[in-house]
């Protein structure tokens, strides 16, 4: 019973860390798989964790934007290094590009936020972010799993 609870706790931690900006799926998926967790469960739990907070950000965008502007007193997303990078991606590739490059370049939460600031509607943002996170989750799981297999790591 204790080992079952410990295992469940590990997946809860994967969910929580995947939901936190700057940790996200790019870091959590490889770490969880390397630690020996089931890659399929890691993929599902990390995807849902990251997606949950992105959805919350999109749903409560207006409140978050007001809080963020009050806290940082920033009017334009292009003032920070990540903001400038996101703005270049937006101008070149639009919401699909920002969503798909976001998880590896600036983070999915920042990509969603900047897309919304630059005029993307909530429904499109949710659709593109969901597709992006699904694709990146699959990529991170496959690369980590087969990379470990290729390097013969974790084989007894």
């Amino acid at each position: 019973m204790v080992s079952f609870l410990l295992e469940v706790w590990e997946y809860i931690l994967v969910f929580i860390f995947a939901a936190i900006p700057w940790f996200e799926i790019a870091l959590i998926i490889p770490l969880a798989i390397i630690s020996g967790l089931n890659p399929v469960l890691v993929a599902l739990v990390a995807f849902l964790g990251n997606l949950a907070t992105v959805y919350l950000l999109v749903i409560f965008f207006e409140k978050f934007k007001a809080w963020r502007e009050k806290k940082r007193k920033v009017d334009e997303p292009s003032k920070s290094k990540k903001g400038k990078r996101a703005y270049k991606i937006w101008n070149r590739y639009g919401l699909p590009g920002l969503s798909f490059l976001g998880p590896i370049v600036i983070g999915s939460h920042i990509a969603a936020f900047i897309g919304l600031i630059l005029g993307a509607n909530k429904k499109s943002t949710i659709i593109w972010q969901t597709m992006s996170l699904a694709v990146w989750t699959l990529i991170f799981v496959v690369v980590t799993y087969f990379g470990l297999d290729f390097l013969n790591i974790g084989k007894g």
Side-chain angles (χ1 to χ4, degrees):
M1 182 67 167
V2 172
S3 97
F4 172 76
L5 291 176
L6 263 168
E7 189 172 335
V8 169
W9 177 245
E10 290 173 326
Y11 289 102
I12 291 170
L13 286 175
V14 169
F15 181 90
I16 291 169
F17 280 110
I20 298 172
W22 298 286
F23 283 98
E24 301 194 32
I25 58 174
L27 177 63
I28 298 310
I29 289 174
L31 288 176
I33 293 172
I34 288 169
S35 74
L37 297 178
N38 180 304
V40 174
L41 289 176
V42 166
L44 181 63
V45 170
F47 171 75
L48 292 174
N50 199 197
L51 197 62
T53 51
V54 169
Y55 276 22
L56 287 173
L57 177 75
V58 171
I59 291 166
F60 296 108
F61 169 68
E62 285 83 14
K63 289 183 182 191
F64 182 80
K65 182 180 173 187
W67 171 80
R68 185 92 168 149
E69 286 176 354
K70 184 178 177 183
K71 183 176 170 106
R72 293 182 121 217
K73 296 182 174 72
V74 175
D75 295 328
E76 298 177 18
S78 61
K79 289 186 178 181
S80 72
K81 190 175 182 180
K82 285 186 177 187
K84 288 178 185 176
R85 192 178 308 151
Y87 191 71
K88 284 181 184 178
I89 294 168
W90 175 266
N91 282 333
R92 187 168 227 185
Y93 304 108
L95 182 60
L98 187 61
S99 295
F100 274 92
L101 292 173
I104 58 168
V105 177
I106 58 174
S108 58
H109 300 88
I110 295 170
F113 183 72
I114 290 177
L116 290 165
I117 284 177
L118 295 174
N121 71 49
K122 290 181 178 185
K123 183 178 179 181
S124 295
T125 303
I126 284 176
I127 290 168
W128 283 107
Q129 285 291 322
T130 302
M131 289 190 304
S132 167
L133 288 172
V135 167
W136 281 112
T137 297
L138 184 62
I139 290 170
F140 290 129
V141 168
V142 169
V143 167
T144 303
Y145 182 79
F146 287 108
L148 292 175
D149 191 46
F150 177 76
L151 296 171
N152 204 26
I153 296 174
K155 304 284 182 191

